[in-house]
Amino acid sequence: MVTFLSGGTGTPKLLRGADAVFPPAETTVVCNTGDDVELGGHLVCPDVDTVLFLGGDELDLDTWWGIADDSTVTDDELHRLAAAAGLDDGPRYLPDERQTAGREIARWRRFSGVAEFMLIGDRDRAVHLTRTSLLDEGRSLTAVTRTLADAFDTPWEILPMSDDPVASIVHTPDGPMHFQEFWVGREGEPTVESVEFRGGADATATDAVLTGLSEPVVVGPSNPITSIGPMLAVDGIADALRETPVVAVSPFVEDHVFSGPAGKLMAAEGYEPSTAGVAEAYDFADAFVLDDEDGTDLDRPVVRTDTRLDTEVDARRVAEACREALEVVS
């Protein structure tokens, strides 16, 4: 048995070729939900959905977001209507008092659907509508995620990190903004002063997550701050990671990040934007998988390989290195 911590695209790219190394029936994937937003009344769970769509062979592998070959009729019409009506496009937050009213799971991350700032395909939207409706019927996010995983026939057990709301808030000179505004709406351009995981202190890990974390854990090459950080903010997760063998794949080659805003966000939180900084942030990790070209000297066991994840063959190679590292520390 093994459990992956997943956020963004790093861990999904690793999962893409991991089945031959880690049997899917014995694999759990715990997903970040700090990136979730309520958009036009529908709860969108980007990191959960990436794994759902990947497992169901539906993921758009060009963007690593949404469903492949999805139509965008509704999104197109939303933008046409807004332009015709003279409505400004997004990100458009709902009023402050609406951020905490209504669905608890959507707190601090509610956006208007007028000229929506995230591209949502038509089939993708059906997933969000179904998720939100099941939540409104009284089911937990964990239960709803399992229902959707069954619908997509995903091979792994997929779990949200918590059934409680946690919102990744990026503080900038222009004020606080949800991570999706920072990354999607503003293309990661604002200066980052700090990152807050709002609600983390009040959120708890579910029994299902804690059961998953009692098995050996692989932390994929996801963003340490906004993909893995929200999980560590949830009560019970960091403690569980300290009690089980953990192998982490660095998203850096020394001080060069493969993709995304990890370097910028790590620097804002006081970590060196490098493999050494990742090791400092992951004090719970027992071993690391580093790239062949990464000469960083760590105080824990290291397995080196080519850590590119461009193809399934690449992913299998990195997964095999993860298995080798787990064998060292288990």
Side-chain angles (χ1 to χ4, degrees), residues 143-176:
V144 172
T145 301
R146 282 172 165 157
T147 296
L148 292 171
D150 287 343
F152 278 92
D153 196 24
T154 58
W156 320 289
E157 180 175 25
I158 303 174
L159 300 171
M161 68 187 194
S162 177
D163 284 333
D164 301 314
V166 179
S168 296
I169 306 296
V170 180
H171 291 268
T172 77
D174 297 328

Side-chain angles (χ1 to χ4, degrees), residues 8-72:
T9 63
T11 302
K13 287 180 178 179
L14 175 57
L15 284 168
R16 183 185 179 194
D19 288 359
V21 181
F22 299 106
E26 300 176 4
T27 299
T28 298
V29 185
V30 177
C31 298
N32 169 46
T33 58
D35 291 3
D36 295 4
V37 296
E38 186 180 283
L39 182 61
H42 299 153
L43 184 65
V44 182
C45 300
D47 290 351
V48 171
D49 290 342
T50 295
V51 179
L52 278 175
F53 300 159
L54 174 67
D57 292 326
E58 298 277 10
L59 183 65
D60 185 335
L61 295 177
D62 291 328
T63 61
W64 286 85
W65 160 261
I67 293 174
D69 302 318
D70 204 353
S71 59
T72 58

Side-chain angles (χ1 to χ4, degrees), residues 184-204:
V184 178
R186 307 227 188 165
E187 298 181 336
E189 292 182 357
T191 298
V192 180
E193 296 175 336
S194 63
V195 181
E196 170 194 2
F197 305 119
R198 192 170 293 173
D202 299 318
T204 58

Side-chain angles (χ1 to χ4, degrees), residues 23 119 128 146 148 150 200 241 253 294:
L119 177 63
H128 310 320
R146 282 172 165 157
L148 292 171
D150 287 343
L241 291 172
V253 178
D294 192 331

